[in-house]
Short mmCIF file of all heavy atoms in Angstrom, two decimals:
data_model
loop_
_atom_site.label_atom_id
_atom_site.label_comp_id
_atom_site.label_asym_id
_atom_site.label_seq_id
_atom_site.Cartn_x
_atom_site.Cartn_y
_atom_site.Cartn_z
N ILE U 1 123.99 95.70 106.89
CA ILE U 1 123.24 95.64 105.64
C ILE U 1 124.20 95.84 104.47
O ILE U 1 125.25 96.49 104.61
CB ILE U 1 122.12 96.71 105.61
CG1 ILE U 1 121.13 96.43 104.47
CG2 ILE U 1 122.70 98.10 105.47
CD1 ILE U 1 119.90 97.33 104.49
N SER U 2 123.87 95.27 103.32
CA SER U 2 124.74 95.37 102.15
C SER U 2 124.73 96.78 101.57
O SER U 2 123.85 97.59 101.88
CB SER U 2 124.30 94.38 101.08
OG SER U 2 123.04 94.75 100.55
N PHE U 3 125.69 97.04 100.70
CA PHE U 3 125.78 98.34 100.02
C PHE U 3 124.50 98.62 99.24
O PHE U 3 123.91 99.70 99.35
CB PHE U 3 126.99 98.33 99.09
CG PHE U 3 127.35 99.67 98.52
CD1 PHE U 3 128.07 100.59 99.24
CD2 PHE U 3 126.97 99.99 97.22
CE1 PHE U 3 128.41 101.83 98.70
CE2 PHE U 3 127.30 101.22 96.67
CZ PHE U 3 128.02 102.14 97.41
N GLY U 4 124.06 97.64 98.46
CA GLY U 4 122.81 97.81 97.71
C GLY U 4 121.60 97.91 98.60
O GLY U 4 120.63 98.59 98.26
N GLY U 5 121.63 97.23 99.75
CA GLY U 5 120.51 97.33 100.69
C GLY U 5 120.35 98.73 101.23
O GLY U 5 119.22 99.22 101.41
N VAL U 6 121.48 99.42 101.51
CA VAL U 6 121.41 100.81 101.95
C VAL U 6 120.77 101.69 100.88
O VAL U 6 119.89 102.52 101.17
CB VAL U 6 122.83 101.34 102.28
CG1 VAL U 6 122.80 102.85 102.52
CG2 VAL U 6 123.38 100.64 103.50
N ILE U 7 121.19 101.51 99.63
CA ILE U 7 120.66 102.32 98.54
C ILE U 7 119.17 102.06 98.36
O ILE U 7 118.37 103.00 98.17
CB ILE U 7 121.44 102.04 97.23
CG1 ILE U 7 122.93 102.35 97.43
CG2 ILE U 7 120.87 102.86 96.09
CD1 ILE U 7 123.23 103.77 97.84
N SER U 8 118.76 100.80 98.41
CA SER U 8 117.33 100.47 98.30
C SER U 8 116.54 101.11 99.43
O SER U 8 115.42 101.60 99.22
CB SER U 8 117.14 98.95 98.31
OG SER U 8 117.73 98.34 97.20
N PHE U 9 117.11 101.10 100.63
CA PHE U 9 116.45 101.74 101.78
C PHE U 9 116.24 103.22 101.53
O PHE U 9 115.14 103.76 101.75
CB PHE U 9 117.30 101.53 103.03
CG PHE U 9 116.90 102.38 104.20
CD1 PHE U 9 115.84 102.01 105.02
CD2 PHE U 9 117.56 103.57 104.48
CE1 PHE U 9 115.46 102.80 106.10
CE2 PHE U 9 117.20 104.36 105.55
CZ PHE U 9 116.14 103.98 106.35
N ILE U 10 117.26 103.91 101.04
CA ILE U 10 117.16 105.35 100.80
C ILE U 10 116.12 105.65 99.72
O ILE U 10 115.36 106.62 99.83
CB ILE U 10 118.53 105.92 100.41
CG1 ILE U 10 119.51 105.80 101.59
CG2 ILE U 10 118.41 107.39 99.99
CD1 ILE U 10 120.94 106.17 101.24
N TYR U 11 116.06 104.80 98.69
CA TYR U 11 115.13 105.04 97.59
C TYR U 11 113.67 104.83 97.97
O TYR U 11 112.77 105.21 97.21
CB TYR U 11 115.46 104.13 96.41
CG TYR U 11 116.73 104.50 95.69
CD1 TYR U 11 117.45 103.55 94.99
CD2 TYR U 11 117.22 105.81 95.71
CE1 TYR U 11 118.62 103.88 94.33
CE2 TYR U 11 118.38 106.14 95.06
CZ TYR U 11 119.09 105.19 94.36
OH TYR U 11 120.25 105.52 93.71
N ALA U 12 113.42 104.22 99.11
CA ALA U 12 112.04 103.95 99.52
C ALA U 12 111.40 105.12 100.27
O ALA U 12 110.40 104.95 100.94
CB ALA U 12 111.99 102.69 100.39
N ASP U 13 111.98 106.32 100.13
CA ASP U 13 111.44 107.47 100.85
C ASP U 13 110.07 107.90 100.35
O ASP U 13 109.36 108.66 101.01
CB ASP U 13 112.41 108.66 100.80
CG ASP U 13 112.70 109.11 99.38
OD1 ASP U 13 112.36 108.38 98.44
OD2 ASP U 13 113.29 110.20 99.21
N LEU U 14 109.67 107.42 99.17
CA LEU U 14 108.33 107.72 98.65
C LEU U 14 107.34 106.58 98.92
O LEU U 14 106.26 106.54 98.34
CB LEU U 14 108.39 108.00 97.15
CG LEU U 14 109.03 109.34 96.75
CD1 LEU U 14 109.26 109.39 95.25
CD2 LEU U 14 108.16 110.51 97.18
N LEU U 15 107.72 105.68 99.83
CA LEU U 15 106.88 104.52 100.12
C LEU U 15 106.46 104.43 101.58
O LEU U 15 105.95 103.38 102.00
CB LEU U 15 107.62 103.23 99.73
CG LEU U 15 107.61 102.87 98.25
CD1 LEU U 15 108.47 101.63 98.01
CD2 LEU U 15 106.19 102.62 97.75
N VAL U 16 106.68 105.47 102.37
CA VAL U 16 106.25 105.41 103.76
C VAL U 16 104.71 105.31 103.81
O VAL U 16 104.02 105.76 102.89
CB VAL U 16 106.74 106.62 104.56
CG1 VAL U 16 108.25 106.60 104.67
CG2 VAL U 16 106.27 107.93 103.94
N VAL U 17 104.21 104.71 104.87
CA VAL U 17 102.78 104.38 104.96
C VAL U 17 101.87 105.59 104.73
O VAL U 17 100.89 105.49 103.96
CB VAL U 17 102.48 103.71 106.31
CG1 VAL U 17 100.97 103.50 106.49
CG2 VAL U 17 103.20 102.37 106.41
N PRO U 18 102.13 106.76 105.35
CA PRO U 18 101.23 107.91 105.08
C PRO U 18 101.17 108.29 103.60
O PRO U 18 100.11 108.68 103.11
CB PRO U 18 101.85 109.03 105.92
CG PRO U 18 102.61 108.34 106.99
CD PRO U 18 103.16 107.10 106.35
N LEU U 19 102.31 108.16 102.89
CA LEU U 19 102.31 108.50 101.47
C LEU U 19 101.50 107.50 100.65
O LEU U 19 100.82 107.89 99.70
CB LEU U 19 103.75 108.56 100.95
CG LEU U 19 104.46 109.90 101.11
CD1 LEU U 19 105.90 109.79 100.65
CD2 LEU U 19 103.74 110.99 100.35
N ILE U 20 101.56 106.23 101.01
CA ILE U 20 100.77 105.23 100.29
C ILE U 20 99.28 105.55 100.44
O ILE U 20 98.49 105.44 99.48
CB ILE U 20 101.08 103.81 100.82
CG1 ILE U 20 102.53 103.45 100.49
CG2 ILE U 20 100.13 102.78 100.22
CD1 ILE U 20 102.98 102.13 101.08
N ILE U 21 98.88 105.99 101.63
CA ILE U 21 97.49 106.39 101.86
C ILE U 21 97.14 107.61 101.01
O ILE U 21 96.05 107.70 100.41
CB ILE U 21 97.26 106.68 103.35
CG1 ILE U 21 97.45 105.39 104.16
CG2 ILE U 21 95.86 107.26 103.58
CD1 ILE U 21 97.42 105.61 105.66
N ILE U 22 98.08 108.55 100.91
CA ILE U 22 97.87 109.75 100.10
C ILE U 22 97.72 109.39 98.63
O ILE U 22 96.86 109.94 97.91
CB ILE U 22 99.02 110.75 100.31
CG1 ILE U 22 98.91 111.39 101.69
CG2 ILE U 22 99.01 111.84 99.23
CD1 ILE U 22 100.09 112.25 102.07
N TYR U 23 98.53 108.44 98.14
CA TYR U 23 98.39 108.00 96.75
C TYR U 23 96.98 107.48 96.50
O TYR U 23 96.39 107.73 95.43
CB TYR U 23 99.39 106.89 96.42
CG TYR U 23 100.84 107.30 96.51
CD1 TYR U 23 101.82 106.38 96.91
CD2 TYR U 23 101.25 108.59 96.20
CE1 TYR U 23 103.15 106.74 97.00
CE2 TYR U 23 102.58 108.95 96.29
CZ TYR U 23 103.54 108.03 96.69
OH TYR U 23 104.84 108.40 96.78
N GLY U 24 96.42 106.75 97.48
CA GLY U 24 95.05 106.25 97.33
C GLY U 24 94.04 107.38 97.24
O GLY U 24 93.09 107.31 96.46
N LYS U 25 94.25 108.43 98.03
CA LYS U 25 93.34 109.58 97.99
C LYS U 25 93.47 110.34 96.67
O LYS U 25 92.48 110.83 96.12
CB LYS U 25 93.61 110.51 99.17
CG LYS U 25 93.23 109.92 100.52
CD LYS U 25 93.49 110.92 101.63
CE LYS U 25 93.06 110.37 102.98
NZ LYS U 25 93.31 111.34 104.08
N TYR U 26 94.70 110.47 96.20
CA TYR U 26 94.93 111.21 94.96
C TYR U 26 94.42 110.47 93.73
O TYR U 26 93.75 111.05 92.86
CB TYR U 26 96.43 111.45 94.77
CG TYR U 26 97.01 112.58 95.58
CD1 TYR U 26 98.39 112.76 95.63
CD2 TYR U 26 96.22 113.47 96.29
CE1 TYR U 26 98.97 113.79 96.36
CE2 TYR U 26 96.77 114.50 97.02
CZ TYR U 26 98.14 114.65 97.06
OH TYR U 26 98.70 115.68 97.77
N TYR U 27 94.76 109.18 93.63
CA TYR U 27 94.60 108.46 92.37
C TYR U 27 93.67 107.26 92.43
O TYR U 27 93.40 106.65 91.38
CB TYR U 27 95.97 107.98 91.87
CG TYR U 27 97.02 109.05 91.84
CD1 TYR U 27 98.19 108.94 92.59
CD2 TYR U 27 96.86 110.20 91.06
CE1 TYR U 27 99.17 109.93 92.57
CE2 TYR U 27 97.84 111.19 91.03
CZ TYR U 27 98.98 111.05 91.79
OH TYR U 27 99.95 112.02 91.77
N GLY U 28 93.18 106.89 93.60
CA GLY U 28 92.34 105.70 93.73
C GLY U 28 93.14 104.49 94.18
O GLY U 28 94.38 104.45 94.05
N THR U 29 92.45 103.49 94.71
CA THR U 29 93.11 102.32 95.30
C THR U 29 93.91 101.53 94.28
O THR U 29 95.04 101.11 94.53
CB THR U 29 92.07 101.41 95.96
OG1 THR U 29 91.33 102.17 96.93
CG2 THR U 29 92.74 100.23 96.65
N ARG U 30 93.34 101.29 93.10
CA ARG U 30 94.05 100.49 92.09
C ARG U 30 95.36 101.15 91.67
O ARG U 30 96.42 100.51 91.63
CB ARG U 30 93.16 100.29 90.86
CG ARG U 30 92.08 99.25 91.03
CD ARG U 30 91.65 98.69 89.70
NE ARG U 30 91.33 99.73 88.73
CZ ARG U 30 91.16 99.51 87.42
NH1 ARG U 30 91.33 98.28 86.94
NH2 ARG U 30 90.85 100.49 86.60
N ALA U 31 95.30 102.44 91.33
CA ALA U 31 96.50 103.15 90.91
C ALA U 31 97.53 103.20 92.04
O ALA U 31 98.74 103.03 91.81
CB ALA U 31 96.15 104.55 90.45
#
């Protein structure tokens, strides 16, 4: 993977599937 690809991968730690579900519970589906 490229240098930037590694960095993008690391930055996605707030996008794992359980967290996306939690965002829906916290703020609603649209948000």
Side-chain angles (χ1 to χ4, degrees):
I1 194 172
S2 67
F3 190 81
V6 170
I7 301 302
S8 295
F9 167 82
I10 294 172
Y11 289 154
D13 59 348
L14 288 170
L15 280 176
V16 294
V17 174
L19 273 176
I20 294 174
I21 296 172
I22 287 173
Y23 297 148
K25 291 182 177 180
Y26 281 171
Y27 309 120
T29 303
R30 283 204 309 167

